[in-house]
Amino acid sequence: MAEAAANLKLVYEKILRAASKKASEHRYFEPRLVAVSKLQSVESILSVYKSGQTHFGENYVNELVEKASHPQILQYGTEIKWHFIGNLQRNKVNKILNVPNLYIIETVDNERLANMLNNLWVKFRKNDDTKLNIMVQINTSQEKEKNGCDMVEAPALVKHIINNCPNLKFIGLMTIGMFGYDIANGPNPDFINLLKCRETICNKLEIDFKNIELSMGMSNDYEHAIELGSTSVRVGSAIFGIRPQKNV
């Protein structure tokens, strides 16, 4: 527990250093740290929360439901904010929308999923004007096994969400990117692609680029991602240590 808290402090320090190296056009925001707590215990999450971390990310719907509904987590009210960052199957939409303190779903990648979230959110939101925060996931590496919409299709999907999904609030783009890229070879092309994708969307839909967040960068490359303009990084093992094995 103490090690995770110490790691969190170190990650914060690295984020601040990376942010100081951003290009001037990216200095309008403070990067958000999302602590990826996949397969971590409630006790570990609370240890990191008590050290100042409020945003947590989960990859599996059932695990998120269990953790977010845990009595020890619920006692902190709305302070702990949950990001869903895994593949969302349509048959689990009702489950995810019922999660206490769900802050955002970062992995919307098609119109059918967007429509379903939009139509069902009215059953779960706490008041009439609360919208569900979402990001559109982009497959910037074009790997067939990766989820995410194609970059070419992204402007149409974002337009559909803005124009036809009044219960959703589009706040940005997310990518996972190719694992293990060596920045000695230059800037990560997946991060560059997400920047280009945002630029295309902004030009086609006349949106100020400052109004589109970029969720990119994980434990092995979050500093590089921030230097390139990431507004939100998803960091797990650099905080919690080696991830436990998932029970099969």
Side-chain angles (χ1 to χ4, degrees):
M1 308 297 178
E3 183 180 358
N7 290 342
L8 178 70
K9 184 175 182 293
L10 183 60
V11 169
Y12 276 140
E13 291 171 354
K14 290 182 176 181
I15 286 175
L16 287 174
R17 282 200 296 270
S20 70
K21 300 176 184 178
K22 290 185 298 187
S24 57
E25 66 266 27
H26 297 310
R27 295 191 177 182
Y28 61 91
F29 66 89
E30 292 294 329
R32 178 197 299 113
L33 172 62
V34 178
V36 179
S37 48
K38 177 172 71 172
L39 303 180
Q40 302 296 337
S41 68
V42 167
E43 290 75 21
S44 294
I45 293 169
L46 289 176
S47 173
V48 171
Y49 162 73
K50 291 173 183 177
S51 298
Q53 179 63 25
T54 56
H55 289 265
F56 291 85
E58 288 287 338
N59 292 68
Y60 305 119
V61 172
N62 290 343
E63 186 177 356
L64 174 54
V65 170
E66 183 179 344
K67 288 176 179 175
S69 303
H70 194 284
Q72 287 180 269
I73 296 286
L74 288 174
Q75 69 178 314
Y76 295 100
T78 60
E79 294 177 11
I80 293 178
K81 299 174 174 65
W82 295 104
H83 294 233
F84 185 71
I85 57 175
N87 179 39
L88 179 57
Q89 297 171 322
R90 288 191 295 276
N91 63 356
K92 292 192 175 180
V93 164
N94 275 301
K95 270 190 173 183
I96 198 78
L97 293 183
N98 200 34
V99 166
N101 303 322
L102 177 66
Y103 179 76
I104 189 172
I105 295 174
E106 295 196 15
T107 50
V108 177
D109 60 3
N110 63 79
E111 288 188 7
R112 289 183 68 190
L113 178 57
N115 291 340
M116 192 171 187
L117 291 168
N118 177 70
N119 294 336
L120 292 176
W121 179 238
V122 293
K123 292 168 43 180
F124 298 95
R125 62 186 179 188
K126 300 300 183 288
N127 57 62
D128 289 341
D129 59 359
T130 302
K131 294 189 176 187
L132 173 65
N133 292 328
I134 64 101
M135 286 186 174
V136 168
Q137 182 177 359
I138 311 296
N139 186 352
T140 52
S141 60
Q142 298 183 316
E143 296 172 83
K144 290 183 179 179
E145 66 274 16
K146 289 270 180 70
N147 296 305
C149 77
D150 190 276
M151 289 184 290
V152 175
E153 299 169 353
L157 177 54
V158 172
K159 183 178 181 180
H160 173 81
I161 291 167
I162 292 173
N163 291 344
N164 302 302
C165 299
N167 299 313
L168 305 183
K169 182 178 181 181
F170 167 73
I171 71 165
L173 306 173
M174 177 267 216
T175 191
I176 294 174
M178 190 177 295
F179 182 76
Y181 177 78
D182 186 355
I183 62 172
N185 297 320
N188 189 317
D190 290 312
F191 299 164
I192 298 299
N193 282 339
L194 199 65
L195 287 164
K196 290 178 179 177
C197 188
R198 178 173 68 174
E199 182 179 9
T200 300
I201 290 169
C202 289
N203 290 337
K204 288 188 174 183
L205 305 184
E206 298 183 340
I207 301 174
D208 186 335
F209 80 97
K210 293 180 181 178
N211 293 327
I212 298 181
E213 292 192 23
L214 298 179
S215 175
M216 61 186 194
M218 298 188 286
S219 285
N220 62 320
D221 56 13
Y222 67 92
E223 294 169 88
H224 177 58
I226 287 171
E227 288 181 32
L228 290 179
S230 177
T231 66
S232 185
V233 291
R234 310 178 304 275
V235 180
S237 59
I239 296 172
F240 293 102
I242 297 174
R243 184 174 295 128
Q245 292 294 312
K246 185 179 181 182
N247 294 326
V248 178

